[in-house]
Amino acid sequence: MGSNYEELRTAVTADGGLHIVTMGVLRDIQGAGRLGSRVLDTISGQLESHGMGHIPKELPGNQDSPVRIYLLGTTIADTVDAVHNPSLKGDAILRGAGDSEARAQLQKVREIVGA
């Protein structure tokens, strides 16, 4: 696992655009001592500024909690957004997930977000 956000992004890319880490890893990358609300907001913002999103949408405060990190601007990101933020555009994305590869990705996202 990486020691900074760039290395984390490299790991996410190497893992097909979706990578699992614990909140403890994210805390250490951020260089924080505790996972308070400010630190959680900072981690979320840093991930976004480095082109990554996270599931769950609200980062947990427990260092042992797993978090899925994905690359923004990808099919995974579009699908996560469609699940979290229902819209006509999102509906089209979900309907377009009809081929087997897209269907498998959608199922993976549903399992991750608990939908």
Side-chain angles (χ1 to χ4, degrees), residues 73-87:
T74 64
T75 303
I76 292 172
D78 292 344
T79 306
V80 168
D81 188 56
V83 170
H84 280 151
N85 304 299
S87 67

Side-chain angles (χ1 to χ4, degrees), residues 7 13 16 25 29 36 39 44 53 56 64 76-78 87 95 97 108:
E7 289 180 13
T13 301
V25 168
I29 289 173
V39 170
S44 185
D64 297 321
I76 292 172
D78 292 344
S87 67
R95 283 187 187 105
K108 191 178 203 181

Side-chain angles (χ1 to χ4, degrees), residues 14-88:
D15 207 8
L18 184 68
H19 186 70
I20 303 170
V21 297
T22 64
M23 283 303 300
V25 168
L26 293 176
R27 178 203 58 214
D28 293 347
I29 289 173
Q30 185 58 40
R34 297 184 64 195
L35 289 169
S37 62
R38 286 188 196 175
V39 170
L40 297 176
D41 289 344
T42 300
I43 291 170
S44 185
Q46 284 294 317
L47 288 168
E48 185 175 357
S49 74
H50 286 86
M52 296 175 281
H54 54 82
I55 303 168
K57 197 172 187 177
E58 298 295 323
L59 291 174
N62 181 326
Q63 70 179 3
D64 297 321
S65 294
V67 177
R68 273 72 176 172
I69 307 297
Y70 59 89
L71 297 177
L72 298 177
T74 64
T75 303
I76 292 172
D78 292 344
T79 306
V80 168
D81 188 56
V83 170
H84 280 151
N85 304 299
S87 67
L88 293 176

